[in-house]
Amino acid sequence: MSRLKNLNSMFNEIKKAAEIIKQGGIVAVPTETVYGLAANAFDENAVRKIFSAKGRPFIDPLIVHIENFDMLNEVAHLDTSSKKIAEKFWPGALTLVLKKKNSIPDIVTAGKDTVAVRMPKHPLMKALLKESDLPLAAPSANPFGYISPTKASHVENQLGQKVDMILDGGDCDSGVESTILISPEISDNGLWQILRFGPVTKEDIEYFLNDRIFVPQKNPAHPVAPGMLDTHYSPDTKLFLFDAAEEIPANFAGLTIHFSRPKTPQNNEYWLTENGDLKEAAHNLFSLLRTLDSKKSSMILCQRAPDYGLGLAINDRLKRAAQKLNMPL
Ligand code: TXA
Ligand code: MG
């Protein structure tokens, strides 16, 4: 597993990356969730380069990363309910949808009057925010529709020619994208809503709030044009999901991903975690899917995670990855 080097030894790289950002370039940078592709959130032309590098449609809004509450104040209004959450869960893998300020150009928010904001805790992303002293718009650093990157090599292989620089911070810790939450003061039904499951779990937030969270079927800010949602997070190889090993056909010739390590693993059998640990499974999910996708097998079968905690985020990504061809086995 590749690890983050000593931050001091990366000082020159961080300085160079911040310079690129200030001059309107785009930099791939690790966060505690996945690698992001960052640009100055105030600079419309710089943000346009992100969309172009990813092949991302302009109807899909970006997340703005901030270093501290002063920077937040420059980009969004913090309502009282969201403030409680921000103070508890930031810095970390949680994004809040807030009322935007005029400083943020429409290209970032797909013309909406809200902006998704996150205060990350990864030391390299924090260093880049501090050094550039700018809020950074950063979606995941993958071509639109493919699995998010959790290693610098994932970014290099797919977007290496299209970005100005890649900061290598080793493997991302969580391995799935941030939880997206919207407060009752802003949501369309006056309830707390989770718009995307992620590392900060529904249970954790509900426990803290002592309140139930509503999960809408679709995030209204997510692109819904035909063919777009379907291909989200997809590997190129056909992916099907299963719950119990008995569902796997006896003569199955493709690759199988089990949730936990099987007692007697066969060739072409893989697993997300040794002993059923959800954090380990989430950490490995995208990386394993990428590795198996590169084997160009006829098909991948993947077992769903248990449906609670981080398992909800894993199953959400699996469902999207398999959605294109989600037929029963
Ligand atoms: O962990 C993460 O969140 C990573 C790292 C790089 O921070 N970023 C990430 O960004 O996953 P991205 O672009 O792949 O996902 C952003 C999603 C959009 O697709 C949309 O669903 C949601 O955030 N979003 C952005 N702005 C929104 C808004 N104003 N209202 C609702 N949802 C919004
Ligand atoms: Mg993404």
Side-chain angles (χ1 to χ4, degrees):
M1 184 170 114
S2 127
R3 289 183 193 282
L4 173 62
K5 286 182 272 178
N6 180 331
L7 210 55
N8 289 333
S9 73
M10 295 191 71
F11 183 71
N12 287 335
E13 279 176 84
I14 294 164
K15 263 205 128 48
K16 184 176 158 204
E19 219 34 63
I20 291 172
I21 293 283
K22 285 192 233 174
Q23 284 168 17
I26 54 176
V27 174
V29 53
T31 80
E32 64 273 36
T33 58
V34 300
Y35 273 75
L37 185 54
N40 173 2
F42 294 142
D43 182 342
E44 188 179 329
N45 284 329
V47 173
R48 193 179 302 278
K49 292 181 192 167
I50 297 179
F51 282 90
S52 145
K54 281 180 61 84
R56 179 174 175 121
F58 290 110
I59 53 171
D60 194 2
L62 306 183
I63 294 174
V64 174
H65 299 69
I66 46 145
E67 194 211 345
N68 51 40
F69 283 94
D70 285 342
M71 205 181 257
L72 172 67
N73 195 34
E74 292 176 37
V75 302
H77 301 274
L78 188 60
D79 58 276
T80 321
S81 310
S82 299
K83 185 164 186 273
K84 266 199 310 197
I85 290 284
E87 283 171 353
K88 166 75 182 167
F89 293 101
W90 282 353
L94 179 91
T95 295
L96 285 164
V97 176
L98 303 170
K99 284 277 173 223
K100 91 177 199 62
K101 290 196 172 167
N102 288 338
S103 57
I104 294 295
D106 279 347
I107 188 170
V108 172
T109 60
K112 298 186 143 296
D113 61 357
T114 54
V115 58
V117 187
R118 174 161 105 81
M119 190 190 290
K121 78 163 172 239
H122 193 288
L124 212 41
M125 180 54 149
K126 273 171 64 173
L128 182 61
L129 282 162
K130 195 176 170 64
E131 195 59 35
S132 58
D133 198 22
L134 287 166
L136 298 176
S140 49
N142 51 300
F144 182 71
Y146 198 70
I147 306 157
S148 291
T150 57
K151 297 173 187 288
S153 60
H154 295 162
V155 185
E156 177 67 49
N157 293 343
Q158 291 188 303
L159 297 180
Q161 304 301 312
K162 299 186 172 171
V163 305
D164 296 310
M165 187 175 176
I166 300 173
L167 281 170
D168 186 346
D171 292 7
C172 297
D173 189 24
S174 299
V176 288
E177 305 87 343
S178 62
T179 309
I180 303 183
L181 185 69
I182 182 163
S183 88
E185 292 175 53
I186 303 181
S187 76
D188 54 8
N189 62 359
L191 299 174
W192 285 100
Q193 293 187 11
I194 284 189
L195 302 182
R196 180 173 73 185
F197 290 117
V200 178
T201 64
K202 180 167 179 276
E203 292 89 336
D204 281 349
I205 306 169
E206 286 184 334
Y207 181 79
F208 171 71
L209 290 171
N210 195 19
D211 199 357
R212 294 298 296 273
I213 301 178
F214 177 76
V215 182
Q217 281 312 299
K218 279 203 170 100
N219 176 351
H222 215 273
V224 288
M228 282 177 177
L229 248 191
D230 300 5
T231 55
H232 234 78
Y233 309 101
S234 296
D236 295 330
T237 314
K238 287 179 210 156
L239 175 74
F240 294 93
L241 307 182
F242 69 95
D243 288 302
E246 296 77 60
E247 296 169 45
I248 304 172
N251 57 353
F252 180 60
L255 308 174
T256 305
I257 305 177
H258 297 274
F259 179 65
S260 304
R261 186 182 204 279
K263 281 203 185 70
T264 49
Q266 308 295 308
N267 270 350
N268 292 340
E269 287 194 307
Y270 302 81
W271 48 94
L272 291 173
T273 148
E274 288 291 319
N275 296 310
D277 181 79
L278 283 165
K279 275 200 171 143
E280 185 188 338
H283 175 87
N284 291 331
L285 177 69
F286 288 154
S287 185
L288 184 60
L289 281 173
R290 277 179 183 259
T291 305
L292 298 198
D293 200 18
S294 69
K295 294 184 186 291
K296 306 279 176 227
S297 162
S298 58
M299 194 186 287
I300 302 171
L301 291 182
C302 185
Q303 186 172 28
R304 286 188 191 86
D307 241 338
Y308 57 80
L310 204 40
L312 294 174
I314 295 172
N315 289 340
D316 167 70
R317 304 311 187 271
L318 283 176
K319 193 172 113 200
R320 289 167 197 269
Q323 192 152 341
K324 252 194 300 199
L325 295 140
N326 207 4
M327 305 176 250
L329 279 172

